């Protein structure tokens, strides 16, 4: 068993909470850091308890980074709608605070800095397959923030500090801090709660997908790979065979969820966010990365979880599992201020981490 000490930011998020579980199972000593924006929004499944700092990324201090061999940095405003709420704030949280974290990590002697980046930095790309050399074409403040951090992190690399860029494609699957605002989770949730697999476009856009656990397996493979294999490298994180058109995803969901039909939203037209991604690099460079899921099994897992949770339409459509709607509600209720910091009523209402 290893007992290597790592810091995971965003550990009370959709991916981070699964990552903490898999790292702990692999023998890592994990410390988490999160400002707990979504910590009340539990879904099914156990939360793995680790030592945690309830801390805003913007307030990180040198002492927070002492004694880690790696930082796995996931905390962020994590999708396009959240990133567009206030682009200046997105810049401050996703970019400036990430770079401050990286500089402090480097100063503290942390050897590896794994950045949770995104394939969305390739932007509107057409039907061709994108690899890591594809030009960046970010079309939203969120995607722009990922490009900026990658560029700036590169300038910190040296023989003692290895930034690595994990460009995740869209995740799916069950997490204790669930999201239903990502495509496969959304299609299954819609089928379960309404009997309709509701497609919000014309169904033609391409989406590469990966299970949330397999994203975490990629992070662990990067942690365990020889330094020279990952040093200052970008990896698209996904599986080449798992590029789907949205209408294909909907068809799989229809076959998995009993008694539902595929339907198209009346406002749905062509969606410019269509791209196909080649994931050969991670497969060839990191033999330790062994993805275990595919979309059909993921849809079955999601359907079973919806049944276990008895997911209601209100929860499916409301703030509980949709990041932007939840943040809008916290703002409207005065629990977050306009800089997305907890007001005096916020932290009091959030249960202690150990009670989750
Ligand atoms: N889920 C996906 O499909 C996907 C795809 C590509 C990339 N990513 C990236 O992976 C990372 C994790 O995504 P996720 O789906 O788990 O998102 P998430 O929204 O579920 O989790 C993000 C976490 O960051 C925390 N956070 C936000 N602002 C913070 C701040 N100022 N200080 C401290 N903590 C803060 C939130 O409380 C939350 O727990 C993000 O960087 C996201 O951009 C996700």
């Amino acid at each position: 068993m290893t007992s290597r000490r790592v810091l995971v930011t965003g550990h009370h998020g959709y991916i981070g909470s699964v990552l903490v579980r898999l790292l702990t199972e692999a023998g890592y000593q994990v410390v988490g850091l999160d400002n707990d924006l979504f910590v009340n929004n539990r879904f099914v499944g156990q939360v793995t308890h680790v030592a945690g700092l309830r801390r805003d990324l913007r307030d990180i201090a040198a002492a927070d980074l002492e004694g880690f061999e790696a930082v796995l940095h996931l905390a962020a405003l994590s999708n396009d709608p959240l990133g567009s709420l206030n682009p200046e704030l997105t810049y401050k949280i996703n970019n400036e605070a990430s770079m401050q974290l990286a500089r402090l990590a480097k100063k503290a002697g942390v050897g590896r800095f794994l950045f949770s980046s995104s394939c969305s930095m390739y932007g509107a790309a057409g039907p061709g397959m994108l690899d890591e050399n594809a030009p960046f074409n970010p079309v939203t403040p969120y995607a722009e923030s990922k490009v900026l951090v990658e560029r700036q992190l590169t300038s910190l690399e040296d023989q003692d500090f290895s930034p690595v860029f994990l460009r995740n494609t869209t995740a799916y699957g069950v997490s204790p801090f669930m999201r239903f605002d990502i495509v496969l989770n959304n299609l299954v949730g819609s089928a379960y709660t309404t009997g309709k697999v509701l497609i919000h476009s014309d169904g033609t856009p391409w989406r590469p997908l990966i299970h949330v656990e397999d994203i975490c397996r990629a992070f662990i493979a990067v942690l365990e790979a020889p330094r020279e294999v990952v040093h200052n490298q970008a990896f698209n994180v996904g599986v080449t065979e798992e590029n789907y058109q949205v209408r294909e995803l909907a068809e799989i969901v229809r076959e998995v969820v009993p008694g539902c039909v595929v339907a198209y939203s009346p406002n749905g037209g062509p969606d410019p966010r269509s791209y196909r991604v080649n994931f050969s690099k991670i497969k060839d460079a990191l033999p330790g990365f062994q993805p275990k899921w595919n979309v059909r099994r993921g849809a079955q897992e999601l359907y079973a979880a919806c049944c276990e949770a008895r997911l209601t339409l209100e929860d499916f459509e409301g703030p509980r599992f949709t990041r932007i709607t939840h943040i809008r509600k916290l703002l409207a209720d005065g629990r977050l201020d306009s800089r997305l910091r907890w007001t005096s009523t916020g932290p009091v209402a959030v249960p202690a981490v150990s009670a989750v």
Side-chain angles (χ1 to χ4, degrees), residues 120-276:
S120 69
M121 66 203 301
Y122 300 125
M129 279 271 186
L130 302 165
D131 67 14
E132 287 79 356
N133 299 315
F136 299 151
N137 183 19
V139 292
T140 62
Y142 166 74
E144 176 76 19
S145 78
K146 298 294 185 190
V147 173
L148 287 174
V149 174
E150 283 205 16
R151 289 212 173 113
Q152 292 166 12
L153 270 176
T154 287
S155 69
L156 295 185
E157 66 81 24
D158 65 17
Q159 59 183 6
D160 299 317
F161 186 75
S162 298
V164 191
F165 315 111
L166 290 100
R167 295 181 187 158
N168 307 305
T169 189
T170 304
Y172 64 86
V174 175
S175 161
F177 297 106
M178 192 60 178
R179 290 179 57 178
F180 278 104
D181 54 6
I182 39 186
V183 62
L184 188 68
N185 297 6
N186 186 271
L187 292 174
V188 175
S190 165
Y192 178 82
T193 54
T194 70
K196 287 185 185 152
V197 193
L198 190 62
I199 300 178
H200 296 279
S201 65
D202 64 3
T204 59
W206 285 94
R207 287 282 190 287
L209 293 191
I210 183 167
H211 194 279
V212 57
E213 283 184 358
D214 288 335
I215 289 182
C216 301
R217 291 192 173 97
F219 274 83
I220 294 173
V222 168
L223 275 184
E224 296 186 346
R227 177 183 176 276
E228 62 276 11
V229 174
V230 296
H231 175 79
N232 205 26
Q233 290 293 309
F235 295 97
N236 292 335
V237 177
V239 178
T240 305
E241 294 72 31
E242 295 284 296
N243 282 282
Y244 294 90
Q245 283 183 292
V246 173
R247 61 187 176 204
E248 292 178 84
L249 297 174
E251 191 50 32
I252 292 171
V253 173
R254 189 191 62 76
E255 287 164 14
V256 166
V257 178
C260 65
V261 294
V262 174
Y264 286 82
S265 159
N267 311 321
D271 182 343
R273 294 168 309 156
S274 176
Y275 53 95
R276 299 167 73 198

Side-chain angles (χ1 to χ4, degrees), residues 14-15 34-35 56-57 74 78 116 142 146 171 179 323:
Y14 172 71
I15 300 174
D34 204 300
N35 67 349
D56 195 293
L57 207 52
L74 286 79
S78 60
S116 194
Y142 166 74
K146 298 294 185 190
R179 290 179 57 178
R323 294 299 184 241

Side-chain angles (χ1 to χ4, degrees), residues 243-313:
N243 282 282
Y244 294 90
Q245 283 183 292
V246 173
R247 61 187 176 204
E248 292 178 84
L249 297 174
E251 191 50 32
I252 292 171
V253 173
R254 189 191 62 76
E255 287 164 14
V256 166
V257 178
C260 65
V261 294
V262 174
Y264 286 82
S265 159
N267 311 321
D271 182 343
R273 294 168 309 156
S274 176
Y275 53 95
R276 299 167 73 198
V277 178
N278 180 307
F279 299 98
S280 302
K281 181 176 174 183
I282 190 166
K283 187 178 178 202
D284 297 343
L286 298 177
F289 173 54
Q290 294 285 339
K292 295 207 177 357
W293 288 85
N294 62 35
V295 157
R296 182 173 297 276
R297 282 192 48 231
Q300 290 162 348
E301 180 209 29
L302 285 160
Y303 172 61
C306 290
C307 296
E308 184 186 338
R310 296 203 176 95
L311 180 70
T312 62
L313 183 59

